[in-house]
Structures are given as structure tokens and as C-alpha cells.
Amino acid sequence: MDIVSHGLWGALAFGRKNRTGFWLAFGIGLAPDLFSFGILWVAATLGLSPKPDFSHGTPPESTIPPYVHHLYDVTHSFVVFLAVFALLWLVTKRPVWELGAWGLHVLVDIPTHSFAFFPTPFLWPLSDWKVDGWQWSQSTILIPNFTLLVLLYGWFLLQQGRPILKPERARD
């Protein structure tokens, strides 16, 4: 799935309590891609790494530097997510629900990444098993994704504007 959609889904699912939680969940939803491909783009822009050619679709994975593959394994592992979530829960003595946006990112990527380009290593480091899903860039994935996001955000924003109806208390 595209990076912005990951942020929007994460914020909608885990950041609806307040503005800070929304932006935190949005950022965490982006993080797995930022900490793998984002680092590649920064390094390529600075001339520290070769820039992959996406002009004719997805380039061969062999043209992507090995460090990106390793970062992708770490950031797209549901096992790593669960370990970090549990560790933060132990440290903070409460679950950090906004971190769920990371787990959602991984879960959404499993069926929306194919063997053609970076299938999701969700069981890493326990297993290299991956799912051959659909490519997220296909219109059969993009159009329903964008449509659902628009509908759900529209509904959410409408709900935010309505006063909460509270029953009046009976007077003695």
C-alpha cells in the first residue's frame, strides 16, 4: 500500500482520541516505509547510495542496496512489532495504542505486496515465509482503498462536528 494510505489508516484506527494521538498514529503508520525506503531516498539524494530507477515500474530488487532489504525486514516484521509493543507496555505500564498503526501497516502489506517486489517478511526473524499478494499499485487495490478512506474520513469528520447527545438527568 502507498505510504500516505498507511498513515491515514493508522491514524483512523489508532489515533482518534485526540489530535496528538492522531498525528502520532499517522507518523507511526508511515514509519515502516520511512525507515526503509525513506532512508534510501535520502541517501540517494545526498549521493551516498545509487538511486533506483522506478521510471519503468518496479526495478529489480537486486538494484536496491542490501541495507534497505535488512531495514525492510525489521520494519515490516509483525514479530518485531509485537516485541516492541510488549516492551513499551512493560516500560510505560500501559499499552501505547498508537503503536498499533505499525502493526496495521504490516498486516495490510501482507496481501498487498507480491513476490514481484518486496513481499512482506512479517515473520522475520523467525521465518522467511512470505505471501505472494496483489500489487498495491493495481487499480483493483488503489480505487477501493482511496474510496474507503474518503468515506470513512468523511464519516469521522461528520461525527466530530456533531454534539454528543446526552440524555437529560431527571430532576428530583
Side-chain angles (χ1 to χ4, degrees), residues 39-59:
I39 290 173
L40 169 64
W41 290 115
V42 169
T45 301
L46 296 174
L48 303 172
S49 187
K51 187 173 186 177
D53 181 14
F54 283 88
S55 64
H56 302 292
T58 55

Side-chain angles (χ1 to χ4, degrees), residues 16-119:
R16 291 179 292 151
K17 285 186 180 179
N18 55 50
R19 187 167 292 175
T20 302
F22 177 90
W23 289 110
L24 181 59
F26 181 82
I28 290 170
L30 301 175
D33 288 341
L34 287 178
F35 288 119
S36 52
F37 281 100
I39 290 173
L40 169 64
W41 290 115
V42 169
T45 301
L46 296 174
L48 303 172
S49 187
K51 187 173 186 177
D53 181 14
F54 283 88
S55 64
H56 302 292
T58 55
E61 282 191 35
S62 61
T63 64
I64 308 292
Y67 72 89
V68 176
H69 289 268
H70 181 66
L71 291 170
Y72 191 83
D73 287 346
V74 173
T75 63
H76 286 76
S77 169
F78 201 71
V79 174
V80 172
F81 156 71
L82 288 174
V84 171
F85 186 84
L87 181 66
L88 275 175
W89 192 338
L90 285 171
V91 169
T92 63
K93 306 286 191 243
R94 68 170 192 85
V96 180
W97 292 117
E98 294 86 357
L99 200 60
W102 177 9
L104 182 62
H105 180 123
V106 174
L107 291 175
V108 168
D109 271 0
I110 294 169
T112 61
H113 281 241
S114 73
F115 287 154
F117 192 71
F118 280 84

Side-chain angles (χ1 to χ4, degrees), residues 1-16:
M1 182 171 295
D2 67 283
I3 189 170
V4 174
S5 290
H6 278 303
L8 291 172
W9 280 113
L12 188 62
F14 296 100
R16 291 179 292 151

